[in-house]
Amino acid sequence: MTVVKVFVNYKESILNPEAQAIQQALGRLGYDNITQLKVGKSFELTFADGMTREAIEKEVNEISDRMLANYNMENYTYEISESEDLS
Amino acid sequence: MNFAILAFPASNCELDAYYAITDVFGEEAALVSYDSESLIDFDAVIVPGGFSYGDYLRSGAIARFAPIIPALREFADSGKPVIGICNGFQILTEAGLLPGTLQKNTVAQFVCRDQKLIVTNNQTPFSDLYDDQEVITLPIAHGDGNYYCDDKTLKSLKENNQIVFKYQNNPNGSLSDIAGITNQQGNVLGMMPHPERAVEKILGSDDGVKIFTAMINFVKEREVAFNE
């Protein structure tokens, strides 16, 4: 089966108060080597067998554009991996 | 007696709690900022509701590292009463002062309404003025009120009689209908419902009065015992 991991992150120009709050809290704990911290979302999509790689990529792009990411403020990347069905 | 009411960035029930303690119960109270480092002048602590640090990362996950937390831990360890309400409950679980965690409601919505509760343990410093199995009504207002813990923790909560309030008609998917629990020692209570919003009949309900009165009695009795 094919597993696709989609990572959605804010664009560089977008303010992310959540990431700032976490980074500042880490600073208070003494972790001050961190110069930047990003918070995003990850999704794991398992596709049914029998789809071509092209068809999967097309669908992942469509899903990400339509639902998982908001193109105004977010970018997405994805990784495709084949894994043995252990079930 | 003197209540400390902790105020984190984006707490929003601290003034309700302050009003309840000072105006309704006639006791002293002070808002204590998250960046203070001492609770030495206080007899009881309220960790109020709200959305501390915007609920970022997880509810309570950043507040638990605030400068006031070591003092809160020391205060709780000394046996004095601590009540965490709503976001305060979430902070206490993240800080490890109470077991388990609060996850998102199973219904995909923020639940805000009056809620019936059953008093399942009336032997705590917070609940000893209620009857056993008494049904009371308190307001709830939360998105992450769904209590969860592993089987082993649930078993020990039951064995130690730490479940103080349960929901009637579970509004959020909470494990075992849990609405409020104490720590093992019984001096730290966390609950999702808001007793501080139910202290005057004219504002809908005074079913929360007995919780604060019980805390006040507990502190006064402790003082007497200490002085003897």
Side-chain angles (χ1 to χ4, degrees):
Chain A
M1 61 183 179
T2 305
V3 175
V4 182
K5 288 182 181 165
V6 182
F7 303 95
V8 176
N9 271 294
Y10 286 107
K11 292 178 179 174
E12 291 295 335
S13 56
I14 300 297
L15 177 72
N16 186 347
E18 176 166 19
Q20 286 180 347
I22 295 168
Q23 189 176 345
Q24 284 164 11
L26 288 176
R28 285 200 303 277
L29 294 181
Y31 298 104
D32 40 20
N33 297 317
I34 297 158
T35 56
Q36 191 180 29
L37 183 147
K38 294 181 179 183
V39 178
K41 300 183 184 114
S42 76
F43 304 86
E44 203 171 298
L45 312 174
T46 304
F47 279 84
D49 290 332
M51 290 176 73
T52 65
R53 192 169 171 108
E54 290 68 35
I56 288 174
E57 285 207 38
K58 183 169 176 288
E59 202 158 300
V60 168
N61 280 306
E62 200 176 298
I63 288 168
S64 302
D65 287 331
R66 288 186 69 188
M67 189 174 183
L68 303 184
N70 177 325
Y71 72 94
N72 291 299
M73 59 178 187
E74 292 168 327
N75 290 320
Y76 64 87
T77 56
Y78 56 86
E79 290 170 0
I80 301 180
S81 62
E82 300 294 332
S83 67
E84 292 291 315
D85 190 348
L86 298 173
S87 62
Chain B
M1 63 176 281
N2 202 358
F3 279 80
I5 300 164
L6 306 191
F8 297 92
S11 292
N12 65 13
C13 299
E14 69 274 34
L15 293 179
D16 289 2
Y18 183 84
Y19 169 78
I21 296 304
T22 56
D23 272 43
V24 179
F25 298 101
E27 299 290 345
E28 284 177 58
L31 296 180
V32 175
S33 172
Y34 69 100
D35 59 1
S36 308
E37 292 180 1
S38 169
L39 290 165
I40 202 145
D41 298 328
F42 298 98
D43 306 302
V45 173
I46 300 175
V47 190
F51 299 86
S52 58
Y53 296 89
D55 273 354
Y56 294 150
L57 194 56
R58 294 178 305 276
S59 308
I62 298 182
R64 67 153 291 196
F65 292 115
I68 191 65
I69 297 297
L72 177 64
R73 206 179 292 282
E74 200 178 309
F75 188 90
D77 287 347
S78 76
K80 293 178 182 173
V82 175
I83 180 172
I85 301 165
C86 199
N87 188 226
F89 186 9
Q90 295 160 342
I91 294 169
L92 293 177
T93 59
E94 283 284 345
L97 286 167
L98 289 172
T101 190
L102 281 309
Q103 52 172 354
K104 287 195 190 327
N105 298 345
T106 46
V107 286
Q109 67 184 54
F110 190 91
V111 188
C112 184
R113 65 173 196 222
D114 286 337
Q115 172 68 44
K116 283 201 163 67
L117 307 170
I118 307 161
V119 180
T120 50
N121 177 359
N122 70 341
Q123 303 292 314
T124 77
F126 309 92
S127 62
D128 59 2
L129 298 176
Y130 294 109
D131 293 331
D132 187 34
Q133 306 301 315
E134 182 174 342
V135 177
I136 62 173
T137 301
L138 294 179
I140 55 168
H142 57 246
D144 300 348
N146 175 358
Y147 183 81
Y148 176 79
C149 63
D150 60 23
D151 292 344
K152 198 176 142 214
T153 308
L154 181 62
K155 194 162 168 267
S156 78
L157 285 177
K158 287 178 178 168
E159 280 172 4
N160 298 319
N161 219 1
Q162 287 169 251
I163 303 169
V164 181
F165 300 107
K166 283 194 174 197
Y167 298 113
Q168 245 184 16
N169 301 321
N170 193 333
N172 55 28
S174 204
L175 184 73
S176 211
D177 301 324
I178 287 173
I181 57 167
T182 63
N183 61 347
Q184 229 173 61
Q185 296 70 31
N187 68 309
V188 178
L189 171 73
M191 62 190 297
M192 290 311 296
H194 286 272
E196 83 285 13
R197 296 186 193 172
V199 288
E200 287 169 302
K201 266 249 148 61
I202 196 171
L203 294 178
S205 164
D206 61 359
D207 281 4
V209 164
K210 286 178 179 171
I211 291 180
F212 299 105
T213 308
M215 287 175 76
I216 292 164
N217 292 347
F218 174 73
V219 167
K220 292 190 171 160
E221 282 159 20
R222 232 173 149 258
E223 270 170 17
V224 171
F226 188 75
N227 291 332
E228 272 170 3

